[in-house]
Amino acid sequence: MKHRWAMAIDLDRCTGCGACVVACSAENNIPVVGEEEAAKGRLMHWIRVNRYWEEDSPSARAVYLPVPCMHCERAPCEIVCPVYATYHNEDGLNAMVYNRCIGTRYCANNCPYSVRVFNWYDYKWEKPLDEQLSPDLSVRSRGVMEKCSFCVQRIRRVKDKAAEEGRKIRDGEVQPACVQTCPPGALVFGDLEDPDSEISRMFRDPRRFRLFEHLGTEPHVVYLKRRKGAGV
Amino acid sequence: MLDRRNFLKLGGATAFAALFGGCDKIPKKIIPFVIPPENHTLGEALWYASECRQCPAGCGIVVRVSEGRAKKIEGNPLHPVNRGKLCARGQAALQSLYHPERLARPFALTGPRGSGRFREISWEEALSLLLGEMKKIRGKAPTPLLMLTEPMRGHRNLVAARFMRAFGSPDRVAWDPFGQDAFLAANEAVFGVRDVPEIDIARTRYLLSFSGDFLETWGSPVHYARAYGAMRQDRATVRGKFVHLGPRLSMTAASADLFLPIAPGTDGVAALGIAHVLVKEKLTAQAIGASALWNEGLKEFTPEVVAKKTGASPRVLAYVAREFAGNQPGLAMAGNGAAGCTNGTFNLACVALLNVLAGNAGMPGGLSFPNRVAAFTRYGAEAGLLAPPPESGYPAVRGAVGKMRSGGFRMALLSGSTNPAFTLPAALKFREALLAVPFIVSFASFLDETSFLSDLVLPVPTFLEDWGDDIAPAGHSGEAVTLSQPVVNAFHDTRSMADILLAAAKELGGEMRRALPWESFRECLEEAYRGTGKPWEDALREGGFFSLAPGPSRATARASGPALPKVAEASFEGEAAKYPLVFHVYPSTSHYDGRGANLPWLQELPDPVSTAVWRNWVEISPGTAKELGLSDGDGVIVASPSGSLEAFVSLHPGVAPGVAAMPLGQGHSHYGKDARDRGGNPFSILPAREESVARGPAWQSTRVSLTRAKIGGRLVRTAHPEGQWKIGNVM
Amino acid sequence: MLRPGPKATIVASLLVLLLFGASVAARARTSQPILYSHKVHVSSYKIDCRFCHTEATKSASAGIPSVEKCMICHRVIAVDHPEIKKIAQYWKEKKPIPWNRVTELPDHTYFPHKRMVNAGVPCLTCHPGIDKMDVAVQQREFTMGWCMDCHRKRGVSIDCWTCHV
């Protein structure tokens, strides 16, 4: 069964609340780095919410842009890894294999979206915070790159279940942590191989655009432009 | 010198180390069950439904539990308030359960108060201390016992209320720094109902927000955020428009199509300006019939007059009024920024008036006043105890502080996340008053500013390990009651406050035992919900009862027609010459009232507006900064007539001129290493003033000055100083 | 500078050899709290693997039988045997038997037993000769190459993320 996982982010719904960021941290064993490291730009969030100001005036508006890994079809990170630790898997995901990574950080250097984060230290979870760690995926050690995986552990769980029950995966059954928790429902996830899925519909939406489209990375994440309200 | 002999020695030593170091096949244990639980598949997680208590909204949650450990919290898809969605605060609550600094057993003070010298004691000793003191002060009513908690919910509130009543103590105070006093008074004046309404954002076409913060912290943020998403994109041909007026571009306002900065405290006047246009131009059916309103004084509030007071453009105000009328159903809402001024009730009543003129009461896309405790009429007068009191309790808190100071209490029972020593203004001198009470008991999970001052600290479970029931303050119409259950076994040796009160009542006997006859709080709940038609186990599995019969909506239109609210102007403490900026404070999206500040995930979550992490900051506009000679990132002393604190400047183009804004919730002095020493606590420099009508805390009623100073540390923000202006680069 | 004499060098070398030997021995023969013999139960009494390792078809982990499972038979069978008496003692005290892990995969590998077992891969493929062992020993070195050979032969996924997440 072939899949092509993709995400759509509706900027007309996103309120910038950051629930996706914390949900992702909880789901994916992401360490907390502290103020010192945050000052060096070393926050380990796999999804971040960028805030832009639209005008420098008293009626300025802020625009929020959640940025997960784009899982580019033509990923700049994949071609520069000297040990093939990151590659494009059969489901269209950009996979990161922690055991292979030797920490050259070329991939992060080449990523135009800056979505890759590096484990500069062996981050510790002070006991008993480690009780919360998810058993479904690794806790990465020092010297290893990591990034959003579209919650591959959830994709795998659903695939297993569907295989056991002898059926296809239903649209909306796979929900990464960020998608599941988003209160205004700005994040949508699904399989582009299914032409009737909601994600396929959103990939055809006239409001769609992709980040840095001109670079030709062909991201699997599409944004829907925020509308302007009629009037003044 | 490396000769052959040394080389071999070195080689041998290295090999030896390598072998020894590589000997990691030390046997690990693999422990089976003694008796395996039924229907349990190894490694498969179980999901338990419960309720989140990281803010008063009361969203339903389901928690993934694997091998007896809670791994992930998600929204409960069956729950009417949040329907499977959950905010950042709820997601972070796991860190509260497994927090390294949680209180694991009872503590008794051994040194002077505030010294931090406690010794661990057993529950037997703790309970005997507690009961010993209770027996000492028990006598003729009124007994000198104070109970100061957060607004308690469901049957916990009932148990606490009955306890105090049977004990003969009238001093039960519930403190909520963001209580809805002004909203209640305004709704009573305008709609005749003293309650928080249901607001149908999802089906409205035009949302007018006056300092509203409903997408971040006010009311039921997840519920409103979900409705907001629906308002925007759920309907094929209608996209709701959102206009926000206020002194600051908050996270909520950032989503608005139009942001109109207005001076602090002028939300009511701005609303009247819009109402003026509605009535003058006869734009809605209700506006046509509002001649009484017009003659009472609405005719004075022309857009030009309003523009002078608020700073908004008259042309834009008029335009918004016409658009509002032309896109019905329209809905007007207000938030903490409007309610917390000294004229909060006036502001909110004017906003409520817009809803009356829009005729949206009881309509889809408007507001309604359901009876949320309809399912509990059998409780009679006590039914109201089961819904969380929406008031702040500020007058009662002030009264209690006065009584404490004058020695009126011999014992105080403190509990809850609202941490009065942190969330009350220093000017109220709560700490000094509390220290006058001979015996202080805290029911707490952490040593925060309040529990730190206690003589006896009794550790309570976090909400993930606790029983409870709750009627959410918004997001349903009385058909839903949420149940909480422990999703894991108690991680530490804790007992819930309700269970301790029940045990105390049993020990004290007599009338107390009659009022509280249950052996445990769980038993109390099971008994309360017997006979509801739904099996208890089913309700626990689903997270509550979601199909109770809702009562009829309560009357909303006053027979006499809308009246003009009594005009009041906001007043701010401090002369403008010495304190040039109006201080605008708002609950932080991460920390709310401070309860989230000890959770690393929330400290590390960049603030949606300033993108700051791990520290406090003060926002001013670039224009204001220029006037004051301040730059982005400067350290300043923020001084009000009531106190001062240190903070870093974060420039914010959406703050009205003459305003300085700070989030509330950061600035702890206790509460754990992640919460401590992260900047000053803005609560402490607020004045101890009341809103003039409803008497809730008037948080937005002081002026401040900003003086550059050299302070330790620096503000870490994730936004790029130049890139954040260049949205054209990405879209 | 340290200059141990020839005697010290010999002693040091012997010590190294001894420790090396011990580590190999430790690897080869993990001692268990109770001398459970797979040979007796599987070869002699023909008990199916899944009777005790019940979770193999349902879970990622095959599971170790609970004390209750042992007692199903040993409530009446061989009750006087000293090892069986140990089981009875654990049962009486309602304490789990603290087995020492024998078979272990390298770190960062996700291995779901149920997928293997339900696909019809025989237990002896990865646990060869276990049915004839008195003391359980891990015979296979689970190298990635060995796993991949079988995956390729059977035409199942060789995507890295199937096993390494």
Side-chain angles (χ1 to χ4, degrees):
Chain A
M1 244 265 67
K2 200 171 177 305
H3 300 283
R4 215 161 30 108
W5 301 111
M7 187 185 284
I9 301 178
D10 191 343
L11 298 179
D12 209 20
R13 288 191 188 238
C14 175
T15 59
C17 70
C20 50
V21 177
V22 182
C24 173
S25 297
E27 172 77 17
N28 291 297
N29 302 342
I30 295 175
V32 166
V33 303
E35 195 177 20
E36 279 299 320
E37 290 297 296
K40 296 179 193 163
R42 291 177 178 176
L43 284 176
M44 294 293 284
H45 296 141
W46 286 6
I47 183 171
R48 64 175 188 272
V49 180
N50 283 354
R51 186 267 295 125
Y52 296 93
W53 296 118
E54 247 192 350
E55 305 162 22
D56 186 1
S57 80
S59 56
R61 289 206 301 155
V63 179
Y64 292 108
L65 193 73
V67 183
C69 169
M70 300 285 139
H71 291 271
C72 305
E73 196 57 45
R74 298 174 63 204
C77 58
E78 289 169 12
I79 48 183
V80 294
C81 176
V83 295
Y84 202 61
T86 183
Y87 68 99
H88 221 70
N89 86 349
E90 57 215 5
D91 283 352
L93 297 171
N94 173 271
M96 184 66 217
V97 187
Y98 308 123
N99 335 36
R100 278 184 109 106
C101 176
I102 56 169
T104 62
R105 309 194 301 278
Y106 293 161
C107 54
N109 196 38
N110 225 25
C111 174
Y113 309 101
S114 299
V115 291
R116 285 174 160 272
V117 287
F118 186 66
N119 284 276
W120 294 98
Y121 300 96
D122 254 328
Y123 295 107
K124 296 273 174 282
W125 274 259
E126 192 183 337
K127 281 196 177 302
L129 281 173
D130 59 345
E131 303 281 1
Q132 178 275 325
L133 289 171
S134 168
D136 293 335
L137 69 161
S138 317
V139 175
R140 285 75 59 188
S141 58
R142 191 177 102 187
V144 160
M145 288 303 299
E146 59 183 59
K147 66 166 186 72
C148 158
S149 64
F150 274 175
C151 283
V152 65
Q153 69 276 13
R154 291 186 176 209
I155 296 174
R156 185 174 60 194
R157 201 183 305 148
V158 170
K159 276 169 94 170
D160 274 357
K161 188 146 184 277
E164 263 172 50
E165 292 173 14
R167 58 166 175 85
K168 294 226 288 264
I169 296 179
R170 292 184 282 262
D171 184 32
E173 202 181 347
V174 179
Q175 292 208 315
C178 52
V179 174
Q180 184 171 4
T181 206
C182 175
L187 301 175
V188 173
F189 186 82
D191 187 2
L192 286 174
E193 286 294 316
D194 175 3
D196 299 320
S197 62
E198 202 190 339
I199 192 74
S200 295
R201 184 178 62 77
M202 292 179 95
F203 264 64
R204 296 192 289 265
D205 193 303
R207 286 191 291 140
R208 72 182 182 280
F209 71 95
R210 292 192 277 198
L211 283 186
F212 297 156
E213 193 121 37
H214 59 282
L215 292 178
T217 52
E218 290 178 32
H220 279 220
V221 176
V222 123
Y223 290 85
L224 299 190
K225 227 184 272 245
R226 191 160 133 186
R227 285 268 199 77
K228 285 205 177 297
V232 182
Chain B
M1 197 186 65
L2 199 71
D3 61 11
R4 203 190 65 159
R5 188 174 266 164
N6 289 329
F7 172 75
L8 286 171
K9 260 189 259 162
L10 206 66
T14 316
F16 169 63
L19 276 169
F20 206 64
C23 190
D24 61 346
K25 287 286 180 185
I26 298 162
K28 292 185 194 162
K29 294 288 178 196
I30 184 165
I31 309 288
F33 284 112
V34 177
I35 302 172
E38 277 185 45
N39 299 326
H40 175 261
T41 307
L42 200 65
E44 284 295 302
L46 293 167
W47 291 83
Y48 290 97
S50 188
E51 189 198 25
C52 177
R53 292 188 211 161
Q54 285 288 97
C55 91
C59 297
I61 57 174
V62 285
V63 184
R64 180 167 182 248
V65 177
S66 181
E67 315 293 302
R69 294 288 181 257
K71 297 294 180 187
K72 184 75 166 54
I73 303 179
E74 304 285 2
N76 181 353
L78 297 174
H79 201 282
V81 170
N82 57 322
R83 294 243 179 261
K85 305 299 182 182
L86 199 61
C87 74
R89 295 178 293 272
Q91 288 285 349
L94 281 173
Q95 293 202 311
S96 189
L97 170 61
Y98 294 121
H99 203 280
E101 285 157 315
R102 254 189 83 186
L103 298 173
R105 57 199 61 78
F107 283 84
L109 191 69
T110 51
R113 281 185 182 164
S115 64
R117 293 220 291 274
F118 292 93
R119 69 181 168 96
E120 287 179 12
I121 56 175
S122 67
W123 271 105
E124 285 67 43
E125 196 184 333
L127 289 175
S128 95
L129 264 173
L130 177 73
L131 279 157
E133 291 296 327
M134 278 185 175
K135 285 180 184 154
K136 261 196 244 169
I137 64 170
R138 196 178 181 201
K140 207 159 53 85
T143 43
L145 172 68
L146 168 69
M147 185 186 277
L148 174 56
T149 66
E150 82 277 26
M152 295 171 96
R153 328 270 287 207
H155 283 76
R156 274 163 286 157
N157 204 20
L158 190 94
V159 165
R162 284 193 187 176
F163 183 91
M164 292 298 275
R165 198 167 47 233
F167 199 78
S169 167
D171 294 286
R172 201 170 81 89
V173 180
W175 166 233
D176 177 1
F178 304 120
Q180 313 270 29
D181 311 60
F183 293 93
L184 297 169
N187 289 333
E188 190 171 33
V190 176
F191 296 109
V193 184
R194 190 180 164 76
D195 202 357
V196 177
E198 273 307 295
I199 300 166
D200 189 5
I201 294 175
R203 287 184 289 184
T204 194
R205 287 186 179 223
Y206 205 92
L207 183 57
L208 259 182
S209 153
F210 293 85
S211 300
D213 33 10
F214 53 91
L215 293 179
E216 43 199 293
T217 51
W218 183 82
S220 197
V222 178
H223 177 76
Y224 297 138
R226 211 178 145 263
Y228 167 78
M231 177 186 90
R232 290 301 207 187
Q233 289 293 333
D234 264 11
R235 295 169 288 190
T237 54
V238 177
R239 174 183 181 268
K241 181 162 178 175
F242 172 24
V243 174
H244 181 100
L245 297 91
R248 174 180 177 264
L249 185 84
S250 57
M251 183 198 111
T252 304
S255 291
D257 298 294
L258 178 62
F259 167 63
L260 292 175
I262 56 174
T266 61
D267 308 73
V269 171
L272 287 182
I274 293 173
H276 174 99
V277 175
L278 291 177
V279 174
K280 179 169 179 202
E281 299 179 13
K282 300 186 179 358
L283 294 174
T284 67
Q286 291 73 14
I288 293 168
S291 49
L293 190 65
W294 182 259
N295 294 323
E296 273 174 32
L298 187 61
K299 63 183 174 205
E300 312 298 330
F301 289 89
T302 63
E304 289 69 26
V305 165
V306 167
K308 263 206 210 47
K309 283 194 169 10
T310 62
S313 143
R315 184 187 63 88
V316 175
L317 273 176
Y319 190 97
V320 167
R322 289 172 203 131
E323 222 183 19
F324 177 66
N327 281 288
Q328 292 297 305
L331 183 57
M333 298 176 62
N336 280 313
C341 302
T342 50
N343 64 343
T345 305
F346 164 69
N347 288 334
L348 268 44
C350 297
V351 174
L353 191 64
L354 287 176
N355 288 314
V356 173
L357 291 174
N360 66 22
M363 307 287 283
L367 47 71
S368 62
F369 288 90
N371 180 1
R372 295 191 189 90
V373 294
F376 295 94
T377 44
R378 71 180 188 281
Y379 279 69
E382 278 188 324
L385 284 173
L386 298 171
E391 291 92 350
S392 65
Y394 197 49
V397 169
R398 295 179 67 135
V401 168
K403 193 168 169 183
M404 281 195 279
R405 193 175 295 130
S406 64
F409 290 116
R410 303 256 305 279
M411 185 168 169
L413 300 174
L414 307 172
S415 122
S417 30
T418 46
N419 196 356
F422 177 77
T423 55
L424 285 172
L428 209 58
K429 296 200 170 40
F430 171 81
R431 197 177 177 276
E432 286 83 343
L434 181 66
L435 292 174
V437 178
F439 194 68
I440 308 169
V441 182
S442 269
F443 298 81
S445 291
F446 298 96
L447 269 185
D448 59 23
E449 285 79 1
T450 309
S451 52
F452 195 70
L453 301 171
S454 313
D455 299 300
L456 178 64
V457 183
L458 301 174
V460 294
T462 58
F463 68 83
L464 291 171
E465 308 152 287
D466 205 6
W467 288 98
D469 61 336
D470 187 32
I471 299 171
H476 67 107
S477 301
E479 74 278 15
V481 167
T482 322
L483 292 177
S484 329
Q485 58 173 328
V487 303
V488 288
N489 284 335
F491 196 62
H492 293 294
D493 188 10
T494 53
R495 295 189 198 186
S496 74
M497 185 177 176
D499 279 325
I500 296 171
L501 291 178
L502 288 174
K506 184 175 175 187
E507 171 80 16
L508 293 168
E511 194 194 328
M512 300 214 63
R513 183 64 170 141
R514 275 193 296 278
L516 299 166
W518 308 285
E519 285 300 313
S520 69
F521 185 57
R522 179 182 179 174
E523 190 189 298
C524 165
L525 282 180
E526 285 180 3
E527 193 187 285
Y529 290 99
R530 206 167 291 145
T532 47
K534 188 182 194 142
W536 178 244
E537 297 299 325
D538 285 353
L540 278 181
R541 193 182 320 118
E542 291 174 14
F545 301 88
F546 302 134
S547 338
L548 300 169
S553 201
R554 287 169 287 176
T556 54
R558 287 180 78 89
S560 50
L564 189 72
K566 184 156 171 290
V567 178
E569 274 202 20
S571 78
F572 302 97
E573 213 169 67
E575 330 98 61
K578 192 158 176 224
Y579 302 100
L581 304 171
V582 174
F583 200 37
H584 176 88
V585 290
Y586 55 96
S588 140
T589 39
S590 298
H591 311 311
Y592 192 64
D593 54 2
R595 68 184 77 178
N598 66 338
L599 305 182
W601 281 335
L602 292 179
Q603 285 285 5
E604 194 134 297
L605 177 67
D607 176 75
V609 176
S610 69
T611 72
V613 292
W614 290 102
R615 196 159 291 275
N616 221 351
W617 67 91
V618 57
E619 293 164 350
I620 47 175
S621 69
T624 308
K626 200 150 166 234
E627 277 172 39
L628 298 173
L630 295 171
S631 314
D632 193 38
D634 276 351
V636 289
I637 308 277
V638 181
S640 78
S642 311
S644 68
L645 54 82
E646 293 178 352
F648 287 96
V649 169
S650 180
L651 292 190
H652 179 344
V655 170
V659 173
M662 267 191 95
L664 294 164
Q666 193 74 281
H668 284 270
S669 55
H670 296 84
Y671 202 37
K673 64 179 185 324
D674 291 314
R676 273 202 313 265
D677 307 324
R678 305 253 163 237
N681 175 10
F683 276 116
S684 63
I685 69 168
L686 295 176
R689 293 177 79 188
E690 287 181 349
E691 191 268 329
S692 51
V693 174
R695 303 187 63 209
W699 294 142
Q700 327 281 357
S701 64
T702 188
R703 309 177 70 91
V704 290
S705 67
L706 263 55
T707 336
R708 199 197 318 227
K710 202 158 179 61
I711 61 180
R714 37 80 187 99
L715 187 67
V716 178
R717 285 170 288 179
T718 61
H720 191 274
E722 289 163 34
Q724 62 182 327
W725 300 102
K726 297 196 164 104
I727 195 175
N729 284 358
V730 281
M731 311 193 209
Chain C
M1 212 168 63
L2 273 172
R3 295 200 56 182
K7 229 192 248 174
T9 318
I10 293 167
V11 170
S13 318
L14 280 173
L15 198 65
V16 168
L17 277 168
L18 196 73
L19 281 156
F20 176 67
S23 76
V24 166
R27 204 180 253 172
R29 200 154 282 266
T30 323
S31 71
Q32 300 291 355
I34 293 175
L35 290 173
Y36 172 77
S37 163
H38 275 94
K39 185 168 171 193
V40 169
H41 292 79
V42 181
S43 289
S44 307
Y45 291 105
K46 306 278 190 270
I47 299 176
D48 187 88
C49 312
R50 284 164 293 187
F51 180 77
C52 293
H53 298 283
T54 49
E55 303 300 295
T57 53
K58 291 184 270 175
S59 162
S61 160
I64 297 287
S66 59
V67 184
E68 189 190 37
K69 178 132 280 180
C70 303
M71 292 305 286
I72 289 174
C73 295
H74 289 293
R75 207 186 300 265
V76 288
I77 296 176
V79 288
D80 292 323
H81 192 290
E83 295 301 309
I84 307 299
K85 284 204 177 124
K86 286 188 196 168
I87 305 176
Q89 186 59 27
Y90 278 106
W91 177 247
K92 188 159 149 225
E93 292 172 12
K94 290 292 184 287
K95 280 196 159 52
I97 303 168
W99 300 106
N100 290 310
R101 192 180 248 289
V102 169
T103 311
E104 208 176 345
L105 279 172
D107 283 339
H108 303 304
T109 326
Y110 169 70
F111 176 79
H113 265 94
K114 64 174 174 182
R115 302 247 23 211
M116 291 280 167
V117 175
N118 291 338
V121 177
C123 310
L124 292 172
T125 311
C126 302
H127 306 280
I130 190 98
D131 51 342
K132 299 194 175 45
M133 292 181 196
D134 275 317
V135 179
V137 157
Q138 179 184 327
Q139 289 284 47
R140 280 243 180 273
E141 279 295 326
F142 292 116
T143 57
M144 181 168 152
W146 181 77
C147 298
M148 292 292 277
D149 278 342
C150 192
H151 270 238
R152 283 204 186 92
K153 244 188 287 218
R154 294 178 79 103
V156 290
S157 174
I158 53 165
D159 181 27
C160 309
W161 252 359
T162 303
C163 304
H164 298 294
V165 174

